[in-house]
Amino acid sequence: MSKLENKRLKGKVAVVTGASSGIGQGIAIAMGKAGANVVINYHSDEEGAKETLRQIEKAGSKGVILQADVAKPQDAQLLIDTALENFSKLDILVNNAGIQQDQDFLEMSLEEWQKVMDTNLTGHFLCAQAAAKEFVKRKVKPDERTSVGNIVFISSVHDIIPWAGRANYTSAKAGLQMLMKTLAQELGKYKIRVNAISPGAIKTSINQEVWQTKEGREKMLKQIPYGRIGEPEDIAKVATWLVTDEADYITGTTIYVDGGMTLYPS
Ligand code: NAD
C-alpha cells in the first residue's frame, strides 16, 4: 500500500468541485483512498462522476455524486448541504472546477470574459463562503493546534505567468491568488486554513488538443525543466497532504506543482 493510501484522512469529509475528470477526479479519488468520504461534484459529465465514485468505493470510502454549477449561489450551498446531509459534517473543500475559453483580447466578448470569471473566480468565492460559514460553527480555543477546516483552491501557473489569448483565464487565476490570501488572513482566527495549488501543464481534457499531438507535447516540454508533462496524480498527492495535520502550519500559501515551469515564464 502506498503512503497515499494509508488512510490519513480517515473520518474526514471532503467536497471536490469538478470531480468527474482530470485533476478534480484525481484529487477526489486520492482523498477517498486516504480514507475521506467525498461529495463528487460534476457539471455535465455524469459518467465521469460515476467512475470517480467507483474508485472511491473500491478504496473502502463513501462518495455521493452531485450535479451542480459552482457559479450559482444555490448550487454552491447545495454542495455543502450535501456533505452535511450524507456525512454529517464538512472538513475539506477543494475548489477545482475551471474552464478555458480562449480568445484574443481584441476579439474577446463580454460573454467570453464573464463565463470564465463566473466559473473560475466567482464560483470559487461562492463555494468557499458556503464552506467557511459551516467551518466557523465549530468553536475553537485560541490555542487549538489543528485546523477545523481546509479550503484548497486549484489555481494555475498562469496566476503569475501571463498567457496571450487567455486574458479571462489569467485574470481569474490571478484573482484567486488574492482571494486565497485574503481568506487565509480573515479566517485564520477560526483555525481555517486556506491555500492554493498552482499546477503547470497537466494531461487532462482542458488541454488535450495540445498534449495529444507530438508538436504540442514538444512545445509543452520546452517549458518544463523537469522534463515530463504532469498527471492529475501529481496534483492529487500534494492536495491530499496539504489538508492533513502534517501541513497544519501552512496557510495563505501557493504550492506550484509544475515541474519547474514557473522558472521559464513564456
Ligand atoms: P478538466 O476539464 O478535466 O476539469 C475541469 C472540471 O471542471 C470538469 O470536470 C468540468 O466539468 C468542471 N466544471 C466546469 N465548469 C463547472 C461548473 N460551472 N460547475 C462545476 N464544475 C464545472 O480540466 P482540469 O485540467 O482537470 O482542470 C481542473 C482545474 O485545474 C481547473 O481549475 C484548471 O484551470 C486547473 N488547471 C489545469 C491545468 C492543466 O494543465 N490541466 C493547469 C493549471 C490549472
Side-chain angles (χ1 to χ4, degrees), residues 17-25 41-45 67-72 75 79 95-100 115 118-120 124 154-158 163 169 173 176 197-207 211 220 229-230 232 235:
T17 69
S20 57
S21 62
I23 292 169
Q25 183 174 55
N41 162 240
Y42 77 97
H43 188 239
S44 48
D45 176 13
Q67 197 283 331
D69 179 348
V70 295
K72 293 187 178 153
D75 283 21
L79 276 164
N95 261 324
N96 162 78
I99 54 168
Q100 261 181 250
K115 178 92 184 121
D118 285 351
T119 306
N120 294 14
H124 288 227
I154 301 303
S155 182
S156 164
V157 290
H158 295 292
W163 200 10
Y169 186 81
K173 294 295 187 182
L176 270 189
I197 296 173
S198 290
I202 309 296
K203 283 184 200 165
T204 69
S205 58
I206 214 169
N207 52 5
W211 59 262
M220 265 182 172
I229 301 168
I235 309 302

Side-chain angles (χ1 to χ4, degrees), residues 243-259:
V243 299
T244 66
D245 288 346
E246 282 176 41
D248 199 53
Y249 205 51
I250 299 180
T251 194
T253 289
T254 300
I255 302 179
Y256 287 87
V257 184
D258 66 351

Side-chain angles (χ1 to χ4, degrees), residues 112-156:
E112 286 165 331
W113 169 267
Q114 197 65 55
K115 178 92 184 121
V116 173
M117 283 291 163
D118 285 351
T119 306
N120 294 14
L121 185 57
T122 307
H124 288 227
F125 156 77
L126 291 169
C127 294
Q129 191 181 55
K133 282 184 176 175
E134 189 51 40
F135 292 149
V136 298
K137 289 180 189 161
R138 294 194 196 165
K139 298 280 174 254
V140 286
K141 299 185 199 93
D143 61 346
E144 191 100 11
R145 293 210 48 104
T146 57
S147 60
V148 301
N150 266 279
I151 299 172
V152 178
F153 293 98
I154 301 303
S155 182
S156 164

Side-chain angles (χ1 to χ4, degrees), residues 67-84:
Q67 197 283 331
D69 179 348
V70 295
K72 293 187 178 153
Q74 65 275 26
D75 283 21
Q77 186 58 51
L78 194 58
L79 276 164
I80 307 310
D81 293 346
T82 301
L84 300 178

Side-chain angles (χ1 to χ4, degrees), residues 54-75:
R54 267 193 291 278
Q55 297 281 340
I56 288 171
E57 287 180 343
K58 203 170 130 197
S61 294
K62 290 184 185 150
V64 57
I65 292 174
L66 180 72
Q67 197 283 331
D69 179 348
V70 295
K72 293 187 178 153
Q74 65 275 26
D75 283 21

